[in-house]
Amino acid sequence: MEVGLSRREREKRRQRGDMLAAALELFSEKGYHHVSMKAIAKRAEFALGTIYRFFANKEDLYKAAMLEKAGEYHRTLTDVLSGEQDILAALNAYVTVKARIFAPNVEVFYLYFAETGGVSFNLGAGLHKEIGRLHDDLIARLASVMEKGVRAKLLRNLDPHDMAVALEGLTNAFLLSWLKDPERHPYEESISTISKLFLEGSLAG
């Protein structure tokens, strides 16, 4: 129960969450341009007019759904990097946790990756800029961990930002392979390979 919220406000939040979840499912299944507000209302089991009381149009709903999901991913991954564990454990945890947050819905990851990769499904929403800021912050936090590793002489004396981008790119490449063929390229089985590839090139001698 959310402290300080009235029953009415809690119900409104629940309804909004149901609408966002239904929208994400449909956008993931069919793509932005092939989904209507009517279809979202039907999937969420709300009257169309009720949907419009929460969101001005489909673009507004798409933007809210993607920003909420991006915020969720951002919080989870930054929490991993902000922990008290040692540098190498934090980097391994980062690689591992990515599988946990994206595994429940691979299709949503594809939408998220398209936004963070700068190829927006709906350029009019301007999401690539807003989600991009979250992604830039994540890279900065990852770079901070790399910098600590360099100072502690655990990692080679390379540019921390470059190392952060390299690890992010490596994990995303394996995640995309998983997306294209989940049975042949399960991400969980690639975690040790990712860690080995990155750390063998980054560990201080």
Side-chain angles (χ1 to χ4, degrees):
M1 183 174 180
E2 295 174 285
V3 178
L5 295 180
S6 66
R7 179 181 298 178
R8 183 179 179 184
E9 186 60 31
R10 291 197 303 274
E11 178 61 16
K12 284 177 66 176
R13 290 196 176 194
R14 184 195 65 76
Q15 290 178 341
R16 186 177 186 275
D18 289 346
M19 293 172 192
L20 292 176
L24 266 180
E25 287 178 2
L26 286 169
F27 290 138
S28 300
E29 293 169 11
K30 301 181 178 182
Y32 175 83
H33 296 290
H34 300 288
V35 175
S36 67
M37 289 290 274
K38 185 176 181 180
I40 294 170
K42 183 177 180 181
R43 176 70 65 91
E45 300 182 343
F46 287 103
L48 183 58
T50 303
I51 298 284
Y52 277 111
R53 285 206 296 270
F54 284 81
F55 304 100
N57 49 43
K58 185 175 72 170
E59 182 178 292
D60 185 36
L61 178 48
Y62 172 83
K63 185 174 183 177
M66 286 305 300
L67 283 175
E68 182 164 295
K69 187 57 66 174
E72 178 186 317
Y73 294 158
H74 182 266
R75 287 189 297 274
T76 300
L77 291 173
T78 54
D79 282 349
V80 169
L81 297 175
S82 301
E84 296 300 322
Q85 55 196 326
D86 65 62
I87 302 301
L88 299 185
L91 294 178
N92 275 304
Y94 182 82
V95 174
T96 303
V97 168
K98 269 198 163 185
R100 193 185 77 221
I101 63 175
F102 291 123
N105 195 332
V106 176
E107 290 79 10
V108 171
F109 162 70
Y110 187 59
L111 290 176
Y112 173 79
F113 183 82
E115 293 291 351
T116 57
V119 185
S120 177
F121 273 65
N122 177 28
L123 292 173
L127 264 181
H128 55 297
K129 294 179 182 179
E130 295 185 52
I131 292 182
R133 281 194 286 271
L134 287 177
H135 188 254
D136 289 345
D137 179 70
L138 183 62
I139 292 295
R141 290 170 185 263
L142 189 54
S144 177
V145 173
M146 300 294 186
E147 185 177 6
K148 291 177 183 176
V150 171
R151 289 203 307 266
K153 300 188 184 304
L154 291 170
L155 301 177
R156 294 174 60 191
N157 189 20
L158 301 172
D159 184 276
H161 179 267
D162 288 349
M163 286 194 285
V165 170
L167 182 57
E168 181 71 356
L170 189 60
T171 53
N172 284 345
F174 276 92
L175 282 166
L176 278 175
S177 293
W178 175 41
L179 171 69
K180 293 175 182 176
D181 194 343
E183 292 187 6
R184 185 178 179 185
H185 303 293
Y187 183 79
E188 293 89 342
E189 294 181 11
S190 303
I191 290 173
S192 61
T193 301
I194 294 170
S195 297
K196 189 174 182 180
L197 284 172
F198 178 77
L199 291 176
E200 281 191 352
S202 302
L203 284 177

